[in-house]
Amino acid sequence: MGYADHITHIYVPLNKNRHWYLMVVDFTNSKLVYLDSAKVPLEHDDRVAQMRNVAFFIETLLANPKMYEEKKVLSFHPSTYDIKEPTIGQQARDSKDCGMWVSQWMIMSNSWCDMIWWVNNHSRMRMAVDLVLRNHNPLKDEICRRAIKDWDSKTRNNSRSQNESKNGSAVPKSPTLG
C-alpha cells in the first residue's frame, strides 16, 4: 500500500452474501464510493453498513504513526465520509460476473469516477489475457509457446490449401517470442 501520507485512494473489494462489490476510499474528495454491479434495494443498507465498518477499520489503521513516512499522523476519518454512488451499468440478473466487474473497476482505477462500464465477452477475455500474460505468471512463456504451436498447427493444417489456391502464397507463420 505504501505510506499513508502518499495515498489518495484505497480500493476495497467487499463480499456480502456471495456478491462482490467495490468500495473506493477517496481521500482527495472525502468520499466512500460504492460501486455495485447488481444493486438490490433490500441489500443496500447492509452493504453500506459493511462499507462503514471497513472504513472504520481503515481509519483505525491510519491512526498508527507507523503508517506514515513522516511519522506524523494525518487526520483521516473515512468512516464519516459521505457515500457516493455513481451511475454504472448493471449485470444481468442471472449473471455471476460481480467479481469481473470489481476487477475491471480496479484495473480501470485511473478513470473510475463518473464512468459507465460493462462486462461482456471482450472484458472477460481481456481479463483472462491479462492474468495469463502478465509478468506475475511464471508459466507465461510456456503458455505463449504452446499457444503459438497450437495456432501454427491449426492454421497450417486447415488453411494452407485454401490460402495457397486463392492467392498462391503460403500461410504466414505466427510471430515468435523474442
Side-chain angles (χ1 to χ4, degrees):
M1 178 167 96
Y3 288 110
D5 35 11
H6 300 292
I7 59 173
T8 58
H9 297 83
I10 297 177
Y11 298 84
V12 185
L14 296 169
N15 188 295
K16 185 133 185 97
N17 300 328
R18 299 177 54 151
H19 172 69
W20 288 100
Y21 59 101
L22 183 66
M23 174 178 78
V24 181
V25 182
D26 179 355
F27 293 103
T28 306
N29 297 305
S30 300
K31 301 279 184 202
L32 296 178
V33 182
Y34 171 45
L35 298 171
D36 190 344
S37 63
K39 290 184 178 178
V40 177
L42 294 174
E43 298 284 338
H44 182 270
D45 290 346
D46 287 342
R47 292 176 187 170
V48 169
Q50 184 178 31
M51 289 173 54
R52 292 270 182 224
N53 288 337
V54 172
F56 181 75
F57 177 74
I58 291 170
E59 188 173 311
T60 303
L61 288 174
L62 295 176
N64 184 339
K66 293 179 181 178
M67 296 294 291
Y68 298 87
E69 187 173 29
E70 303 296 323
K71 304 305 177 215
K72 176 185 172 194
V73 175
L74 301 176
S75 182
F76 291 120
H77 301 287
S79 65
T80 64
Y81 290 177
D82 289 335
I83 305 280
K84 179 181 178 182
E85 296 184 43
T87 301
I88 56 172
Q90 296 290 283
Q91 68 188 49
R93 285 184 172 245
D94 59 344
S95 171
K96 305 277 189 242
D97 282 333
C98 56
M100 283 292 301
W101 286 78
V102 168
S103 299
Q104 288 295 306
W105 289 324
M106 291 175 68
I107 288 169
M108 296 170 49
S109 63
N110 61 331
S111 62
W112 60 264
C113 55
D114 299 325
M115 293 290 291
I116 298 175
W117 298 280
W118 299 101
V119 171
N120 54 29
N121 287 338
H122 175 268
S123 59
R124 287 184 195 96
M125 181 57 76
R126 182 73 252 163
M127 175 70 70
V129 169
D130 286 346
L131 290 171
V132 170
L133 295 181
R134 295 294 166 111
N135 290 332
H136 68 273
N137 184 358
L139 299 174
K140 174 183 83 164
D141 291 339
E142 179 61 24
I143 291 168
C144 287
R145 274 192 279 285
R146 289 181 183 197
I148 289 169
K149 183 178 177 183
D150 183 62
W151 175 264
D152 285 344
S153 72
K154 287 180 178 165
T155 57
R156 295 242 174 237
N157 292 338
N158 296 334
S159 301
R160 175 173 278 186
S161 61
Q162 290 176 346
N163 283 352
E164 285 179 346
S165 64
K166 287 181 183 176
N167 60 18
S169 62
V171 176
K173 193 169 182 171
S174 60
T176 59
L177 295 175

